[in-house]
Amino acid sequence: MRNNKFKQLNGKNLKIAITQARFNQKITDGLLNGALKALKESGIQDKNIKVFQVPGSFEIPVFCQSLAKSKKFDGIITIGAVIQGQTAHFEYISKAVTDGIIRVSLDYNLPVAFGVITVYNIKQAQKRSGSDKGNKGYEAAMALVELITEINKIK
Ligand code: DLZ
């Protein structure tokens, strides 16, 4: 799954939290596996990775807010799968989770990666959470480690 568009990074001492939504868990488990693989490739130690679960994507922002307040982590990866159904729920949840995640990131000046997929059907979800290239959990984790590394250069 390794992808050249991502830098080789050394995240040995970074502490990372992952917030995984349980809704559509088969998909979010795939995203989580991708994220864990990326963190391993970036040298992050297992003991420095904490995985938390919340019921659905809607709950991700408030949980991330608590993580940010704790000041225990260098960054957070959010994992969720919002899949369009028969009602307008999809639009509301997608907007709430997206706005909420960037708000926590900016309010707390803490890197928070967006590993929440918002897709029109299960096929798109499977494609973005599988073990091939294009796993969005993997991409989010790689982006997070790169962002933390860059921010640390200006500290
Ligand atoms: C209720 C709901 C629906 C319809 N769809 C999704 C979804 O596609 N992805 C997701 O992560 N969560 C969904 N949820 C659950 C909400 O995120 C939330 O957990 C509930 O509305 C309870 O607040």
Side-chain angles (χ1 to χ4, degrees):
M1 205 196 292
R2 185 152 187 81
N3 188 324
N4 287 337
K5 74 181 168 184
F6 300 108
K7 288 184 181 174
Q8 191 84 49
L9 296 163
N10 182 2
K12 193 166 179 270
N13 296 315
L14 298 181
K15 293 187 171 58
I16 306 295
I18 301 178
T19 305
Q20 178 197 19
R22 270 196 317 273
F23 206 96
N24 295 317
Q25 192 167 355
K26 270 196 184 157
I27 299 298
T28 65
D29 279 347
L31 295 167
L32 176 64
N33 288 339
L36 292 172
K37 181 175 160 64
L39 294 181
K40 201 176 183 132
E41 286 178 12
S42 303
I44 312 252
Q45 302 177 77
D46 286 350
K47 68 177 170 93
N48 289 337
I49 302 169
K50 298 275 181 281
V51 181
F52 303 92
Q53 287 190 337
V54 293
S57 294
F58 192 77
E59 284 74 39
I60 289 175
V62 71
F63 193 80
C64 288
Q65 194 179 47
S66 297
L67 289 171
K69 270 188 189 166
S70 78
K71 296 192 169 153
K72 287 183 181 167
F73 300 98
D74 298 297
I76 305 172
I77 301 163
T78 59
I79 300 282
V82 189
I83 305 178
Q84 191 174 34
Q86 304 297 313
T87 68
H89 235 87
F90 167 80
E91 276 82 18
Y92 290 110
I93 295 174
S94 298
K95 180 157 172 44
V97 66
T98 309
D99 292 352
I101 287 170
I102 192 63
R103 188 170 141 194
V104 171
S105 185
L106 294 175
D107 284 357
Y108 289 87
N109 192 23
L110 181 73
V112 183
F114 191 59
V116 178
I117 56 170
T118 56
V119 293
Y120 297 115
N121 53 56
I122 189 77
K123 204 171 163 201
Q124 287 184 341
Q126 286 163 342
K127 193 163 177 223
R128 286 158 180 75
S129 60
S131 52
D132 293 336
K133 254 187 192 173
N135 181 301
K136 299 302 173 195
Y138 179 94
E139 293 181 5
M142 281 299 190
L144 182 81
V145 179
E146 180 172 346
L147 181 61
I148 297 170
T149 307
E150 286 303 303
I151 289 174
N152 283 345
K153 286 183 193 167
I154 52 175
K155 278 183 178 166

